[in-house]
Each structure stands twice: as structure tokens, then as C-alpha cells.
């Protein structure tokens, strides 16, 4: 569950743009708030030199367009605050990065700093007001805050997080909204107790139950396993605690079939993000200046370092492995995409057919009366809409491959199954897309580097022959 707010970052009176950028970005990157910079990620910029890169883009913007900055907005910030104890810093940073990518559509450099110094984990997503190609500026628009919230909500749902069902307008973050001293819920206390016992690695499930009793919990065993502390009025079922806390999942952890997910320190590492190298010569031929060339050279060096890190982390140091991986992830993504499109197409067909069946049933008596009236023109004019719906339904039935018409109930059942399959495929779709983009981008960078090496060797060979 996350609250969001889009903030325009202005140039303060009496301060230069550089000083204002430094003030805002230094606060976001504060090592005391980001675990010494561990929870910082970026897109098309280096967090260590972000002020200089943002400033350089603004100078290039002036060189390319000849337009002076007409307002004092130097950057934009999205604040994204999460419900206490619902998310790990690593996942929060990934969610913030995805929000930055989707809202800016990859057209603006940004970095995400995840702060963990408060009861609620929150992100500072700061993106450059100048676009990557230095030809445009981001313009805040009517409803931009609502757009940020909708994108954030979708990402939260994709990652199994709750959302604010009926958000209220306001400027407060989660710490102010819920209160930093809000008491811990009974469900959260139960999760913490379970985590503590699982961390001690009980020998079996009976030992786990015994240690839960020793921790002060009464146990109710029946169809659903439930626990109740002395402070609670009602038992809490394990199945209501969310992912990772069902009886089956707890038994799997105890039996060693599933790793224990330590919420205090997540073990999953954030995947490196790879960006495509800039074709400097092509950009110079297109009219870019010397300033852009300097920036592009630095950018390409950073991206090749990032590419090497990505290839090392994913054990893709042999080109044959990289080629095979690129084909595998592409096939996986296209298979998921085709699965989603097929499901959506059939769901649309079901929706239309269901409407035709309902319309046919509602208008059958009118059509029978029309036929008995000898297809009267007067009757037709009076009941035109009903008769058109009836004829459209009959035409749709005639186009069916099977002679037997399905029932509305059967169509609803099929629709529910397809919707469930689509949701499962869609949950994998975005991660598959991101993986494919990273692998294909890394391969493109390697191909370009190999192509440049071959071109240079051919050039040296021709010079030697002369």
C-alpha cells in the first residue's frame, strides 16, 4: 500500500541551479537514510554525479534549442511512501524504479533513493526536467498526481502489495497519515512471532506449535489453523496473514523445502539495469555539439561497466551463452504476450456472445409478434431497436462454428478461467519484459563493441597493405 505525491523542485531565490540541485539530491542520497547508498538505483545517470549530469543536459538543451528556461522548475520529485512493515527496502526500491520508468516513459534520467530511517519505508524519485535527448522539457499537467497514483497502484498490485482503495487528497506522507507511533496490529505481531520461531529452525511442525504456545499464543486446530494471544478477542487464521504464512508454507520452511524469507534483511539482490550505448558518430552527424559528445563518451563508459556487471552477475561471460539467453528470454516474453492476447481476444468474444444471448432472449417475444403481424412496417418502426438487436443476435449465432449454443453460465465459467490465466500471465509479463530488455540491451552493447573492434582491425589491415 503506497501513497504518492508529485512535487516540482524550484530554483530558490539567491541560489544557483547547481546549489539547489545539490541540496535536493544530497538529501535524497543521505547515506544514513539509504543504508550507505545500498538502496539507491538510477536510470541514465550516475547518482554520484547526478547534479553535474542534470546541469550538462540543461546546457545542451540551450545549445540545441536556443531556448532559455522560462520557469524555475529544475527537476521533479515523486514521493512514494509504503505502509509500515509491508515491504522490504529492496522491493521498495524496485517498485520505485518501475514507477519512475513508467511515468517518465524512459524519456528522463532519474534516480531512486529508498529511505529506511522512518517507521514507513519511502522513496524519493528525482527525475530531470530535461529529456534525455535534451530537446524537450517535462511539463506538469492537470491530473499528473492522479496519474502517478494510478501507476503506483498497478505496480503495487503486480507485486502483491495492498493499495489505498479510497485515497483522500492531501499532502501528507504515510508517516503523517498513519502516524509513526501507530500501534502494531495483532496480525503483524503474529507474523513477527512466527518469523522469530522460524528463524530458530524448529525440528518439526509440532515443535513449532509448542514454541508458539510458549510465546503466549492459544492454538485452534480444525479446518483452518488459528492463533490468539491474550490481547486478542478473536483467533487469527494463518491463511489471513498473506503470502508466506499459510500452514503449508510454514511446514515447507521447517522441512527445508522452502527458504526462510527473513523480512528484516531480504537476501534478494536488485537486478542491474542495462542501458543501450549511444551511437556518438551518428549523433554528431545529426547536429549534436561538442558538449553532447563529452557527455556521451562518459555515458558509454558507464554503460559498458554496467553491461559487464550484468553479464558477470548472470553468468553470461561467453558470447554463445549470451546468444542462447537472448533467444530464451525473447521466446518466453513473446509466449506470455501471445497468451495474454489470446485470452483477451476470447474474453472479448465471450462478452459479445453473452450480450447477444441475453438480447435474443429479451427480444424473442417482440420478434414473434412482428412475424405474426406479417412483418408490418408500422410495427417495425415502433420496435426498431428490439428487432435490430434480435437480428444481430441471430447473425452472431449463425457465425458460430458449433451448432449448439452455449449457455450464459458456461460462458461466465469460461470467462472466469481465462481471467485467472490472464492475471497469472500478466504477473510474469513485466518481469519477463524487463529481463528480455536487459539481456537484449547487453547483447546489443557487446555486438556494437565487437563490431567496432572488427572495423578497427579491418582499417589497420587496409593501412598495412598500403
Amino acid at each position: 500500500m503506497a501513497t504518492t505525491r508529485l512535487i516540482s523542485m524550484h530554483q530558490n531565490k539567491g541560489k544557483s541551479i547547481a546549489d539547489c540541485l545539490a541540496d535536493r539530491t544530497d538529501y535524497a542520497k543521505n547515506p544514513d537514510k539509504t543504508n550507505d547508498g545500498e538502496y539507491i538505483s538510477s536510470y541514465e545517470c550516475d547518482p554520484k554525479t547526478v547534479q553535474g549530469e542534470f546541469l550538462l543536459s540543461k546546457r545542451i538543451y540551450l545549445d540545441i534549442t536556443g531556448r532559455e528556461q522560462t520557469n524555475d522548475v529544475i527537476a521533479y520529485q515523486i514521493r512514494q511512501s509504503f505502509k509500515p512493515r509491508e515491504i522490504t527496502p529492496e522491493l521498495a526500491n524496485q517498485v520505485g524504479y518501475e514507477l519512475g520508468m513508467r511515468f517518465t516513459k524512459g524519456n528522463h534520467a532519474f534516480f531512486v533513493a529508498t529511505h529506511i530511517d522512518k517507521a514507513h519505508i519511502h522513496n524519493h524519485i528525482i527525475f530531470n526536467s530535461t529529456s534525455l535527448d535534451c530537446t524537450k522539457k517535462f511539463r506538469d499537467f492537470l491530473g499528473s498526481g492522479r496519474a502517478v497514483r494510478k501507476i503506483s497502484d498497478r505496480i503495487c498490485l503486480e507485486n502483491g502489495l495492498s493499495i489505498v482503495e479510497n485515497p483522500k487528497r492531501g499532502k501528507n506522507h504515510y508517516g503523517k497519515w498513519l502516524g509513526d507511533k501507530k500501534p502494531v496490529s495483532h496480525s503483524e505481531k503474529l507474523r513477527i512471532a512466527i518469523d522469530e520461531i522460524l528463524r530458530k529452525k524448529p525440528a518439526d511442525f509440532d515443535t513449532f506449535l509448542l514454541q508458539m504456545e510458549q510465546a503466549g499464543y492459544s492454538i485452534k486446530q480444525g479446518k483452518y489453523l488459528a492463533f490468539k494471544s491474550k490481547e486478542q478477542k478473536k483467533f487469527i487464521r494463518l491463511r489471513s496473514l498473506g503470502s508466506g504464512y499459510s500452514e503449508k508454507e510454514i511446514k515447507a520452511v521447517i522441512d527445508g523445502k522452502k527458504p526462510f524469507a527473513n523480512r528484516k534483511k531480504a537476501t534478494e539482490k536488485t537486478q542491474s539495469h542495462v542501458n543501450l550505448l549511444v551511437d556518438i558518430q551518428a549523433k554528431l552527424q545529426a547536429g549534436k555539439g561538442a558538449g553532447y559528445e563529452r557527455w556521451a563518451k562518459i555515458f558509454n563508459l558507464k554503460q559498458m561497466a554496467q553491461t559487464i556487471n550484468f553479464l558477470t552477475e548472470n553468468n553470461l561471460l561467453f558470447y554463445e551463452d549470451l546468444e542462447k539467453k537472448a533467444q530464451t528470454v525473447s521466446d518466453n516474453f513473446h509466449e506470455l504476450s501471445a497468451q495474454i492476447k489470446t485470452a483477451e481476444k476470447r474474453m472479448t468474444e465471450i462478452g459479445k456472445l453473452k450480450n447477444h444471448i441475453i438480447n435474443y432472449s429479451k427480444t424473442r417475444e417482440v420478434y414473434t409478434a412482428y412475424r405474426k403481424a406479417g412483418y408490418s412496417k408500422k410495427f417495425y418502426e415502433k420496435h426498431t431497436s428490439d428487432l435490430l438487436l434480435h437480428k444481430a443476435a441471430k447473425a452472431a449465432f449463425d457465425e458460430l462454428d458449433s451448432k449448439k449454443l452455449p449457455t450464459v453460465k458456461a460462458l461466465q465459467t469460461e470467462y472466469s478461467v481465462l481471467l485467472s490465466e490472464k492475471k497469472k500471465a500478466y504477473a510474469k509479463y513485466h518481469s519477463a519484459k524487463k529481463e528480455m530488455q536487459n539481456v537484449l540491451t547487453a547483447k546489443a552493447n557487446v555486438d556494437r563493441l565487437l563490431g567496432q573492434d572488427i572495423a578497427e582491425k579491418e582499417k589497420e589491415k587496409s593501412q598495412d597493405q598500403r
Side-chain angles (χ1 to χ4, degrees):
M1 184 184 291
T3 59
T4 55
R5 183 185 172 197
L6 179 63
I7 305 166
S8 302
M9 301 172 69
H10 297 263
Q11 181 182 1
N12 298 333
K13 290 183 179 180
K15 277 192 172 185
S16 66
I17 294 178
D19 289 338
C20 291
L21 276 173
D23 289 345
R24 316 293 173 78
T25 56
D26 286 348
Y27 174 82
K29 296 184 295 179
N30 188 333
D32 295 332
K33 298 174 181 289
T34 60
N35 197 29
D36 291 329
E38 180 183 356
Y39 304 127
I40 297 177
S41 58
S42 63
Y43 170 71
E44 296 285 2
C45 65
D46 187 337
K48 295 178 182 178
T49 58
V50 66
Q51 298 99 318
E53 292 181 43
F54 280 20
L55 277 174
L56 177 60
S57 71
K58 297 181 190 306
R59 292 189 190 127
I60 296 173
Y61 170 83
L62 177 61
D63 291 341
I64 293 174
T65 66
R67 295 194 294 266
E68 292 280 355
Q69 185 166 317
T70 56
N71 59 38
D72 60 349
V73 178
I74 55 177
Y76 290 85
Q77 178 180 186
I78 299 173
R79 287 185 189 170
Q80 185 183 35
S81 301
F82 300 93
K83 184 179 180 180
R85 294 171 294 277
E86 190 184 46
I87 194 170
T88 62
E90 291 84 355
L91 180 56
N93 193 266
Q94 291 178 30
V95 168
Y97 186 94
E98 188 67 19
L99 174 57
M101 280 295 293
R102 294 197 199 179
F103 183 70
T104 65
K105 298 180 180 178
N107 294 325
H108 296 261
F110 66 84
F111 73 93
V112 184
T114 303
H115 287 192
I116 57 173
D117 58 319
K118 302 287 185 182
H120 62 289
I121 293 174
H122 57 282
N123 288 327
H124 293 263
I125 307 166
I126 298 178
F127 64 91
N128 194 357
S129 58
T130 307
S131 61
L132 287 173
D133 61 5
C134 303
T135 61
K136 297 176 184 177
K137 295 277 188 176
F138 178 86
R139 301 297 180 194
D140 201 358
F141 55 92
L142 185 65
S144 57
R146 186 162 58 252
V148 170
R149 175 176 60 79
K150 286 183 177 180
I151 296 171
S152 176
D153 284 353
R154 175 173 288 185
I155 298 170
C156 285
L157 289 173
E158 291 169 1
N159 286 275
L161 303 171
S162 56
I163 63 171
V164 181
E165 294 291 349
N166 298 299
K168 297 179 180 179
R169 295 188 66 181
K171 297 182 179 180
N172 292 336
H173 54 65
Y174 228 113
K176 298 294 183 184
W177 191 18
L178 292 179
D180 288 334
K181 296 182 180 180
K182 184 176 176 66
V184 180
S185 67
H186 292 308
S187 293
E188 183 60 22
K189 287 180 181 178
L190 179 55
R191 291 189 193 97
I192 292 170
I194 292 171
D195 286 349
E196 288 298 323
I197 292 173
L198 290 178
R199 194 174 288 111
K200 296 174 184 176
K201 298 181 179 179
D204 50 38
F205 192 68
D206 289 336
T207 305
F208 166 79
L209 294 177
L210 178 61
Q211 291 178 358
M212 286 296 292
E213 286 182 335
Q214 292 172 351
Y217 281 92
S218 301
I219 302 172
K220 183 166 69 174
Q221 291 180 297
K223 186 177 180 181
Y224 301 109
L225 187 62
F227 296 85
K228 183 171 79 70
S229 68
K230 294 178 181 179
E231 302 170 352
Q232 296 171 217
K233 293 181 180 180
K234 297 181 179 180
F235 279 87
I236 298 175
R237 293 176 177 176
L238 282 181
R239 63 195 292 257
S240 70
L241 296 179
S243 178
Y245 293 96
S246 69
E247 183 176 347
K248 184 179 179 181
E249 288 173 309
I250 291 174
K251 285 181 177 178
V253 171
I254 293 172
D255 295 339
K257 297 177 182 178
K258 180 182 177 182
F260 168 57
N262 189 343
R263 292 193 296 158
K264 289 186 177 180
K265 185 177 181 182
T267 56
E268 185 181 357
K269 294 184 179 179
T270 305
Q271 190 181 37
S272 300
H273 297 283
V274 187
N275 297 304
L276 199 63
L277 297 177
V278 173
D279 189 340
I280 299 175
Q281 293 302 318
K283 293 292 184 182
L284 293 177
Q285 290 173 6
K288 299 290 186 181
Y292 183 88
E293 182 180 7
R294 287 193 297 273
W295 171 85
K297 286 180 178 178
I298 296 171
F299 173 83
N300 281 354
L301 286 172
K302 292 177 183 176
Q303 296 317 310
M304 278 313 302
Q306 191 73 358
T307 300
I308 292 169
N309 287 340
F310 176 82
L311 296 174
T312 303
E313 289 173 4
N314 292 275
N315 196 25
L316 298 171
L317 298 177
F318 291 98
Y319 189 77
E320 293 78 7
D321 294 338
L322 180 58
E323 275 188 317
K324 187 177 180 181
K325 183 68 173 180
Q327 187 63 50
T328 301
V329 295
S330 296
D331 291 344
N332 182 41
F333 171 76
H334 292 306
E335 183 180 339
L336 285 169
S337 181
Q339 185 179 341
I340 291 170
K341 288 178 181 177
T342 302
E344 288 177 340
K345 182 181 178 182
R346 179 55 186 160
M347 287 165 71
T348 301
E349 292 173 353
I350 290 172
K352 290 179 180 178
L353 183 56
K354 191 170 71 172
N355 286 335
H356 283 312
I357 293 173
I358 294 170
N359 290 337
Y360 183 86
S361 178
K362 288 180 178 179
T363 59
R364 183 165 49 189
E365 291 183 2
V366 176
Y367 184 80
T368 302
Y370 174 56
R371 192 173 55 191
K372 288 180 179 179
Y375 301 102
S376 166
K377 186 177 180 181
K378 186 177 180 181
F379 188 95
Y380 181 86
E381 290 175 352
K382 188 177 179 180
H383 302 279
T384 302
S385 59
D386 287 339
L387 292 172
L388 287 175
L389 287 173
H390 192 84
K391 287 181 179 180
K394 287 184 70 175
F397 300 157
D398 291 340
E399 292 177 1
L400 290 176
D401 294 333
S402 58
K403 295 180 180 180
K404 188 177 179 180
L405 191 67
T407 63
V408 172
K409 186 177 180 181
L411 290 173
Q412 287 174 335
T413 302
E414 184 184 356
Y415 188 93
S416 298
V417 172
L418 288 169
L419 181 61
S420 177
E421 292 175 353
K422 179 190 169 185
K423 285 181 178 179
K424 289 178 182 178
Y426 205 79
K428 301 175 185 177
Y429 176 84
H430 291 288
S431 59
K433 181 180 180 181
K434 187 181 292 184
E435 183 183 21
M436 181 186 72
Q437 289 173 336
N438 279 338
V439 173
L440 293 183
T441 302
K443 184 177 180 298
N445 288 345
V446 172
D447 288 343
R448 177 174 291 179
L449 191 64
L450 292 174
Q452 288 175 351
D453 288 343
I454 293 171
E456 288 176 2
K457 287 179 181 178
E458 290 293 331
K459 186 176 180 181
E460 290 175 1
K461 186 178 179 181
S462 62
Q463 288 176 347
D464 292 340
Q465 290 176 349
R466 290 176 186 175

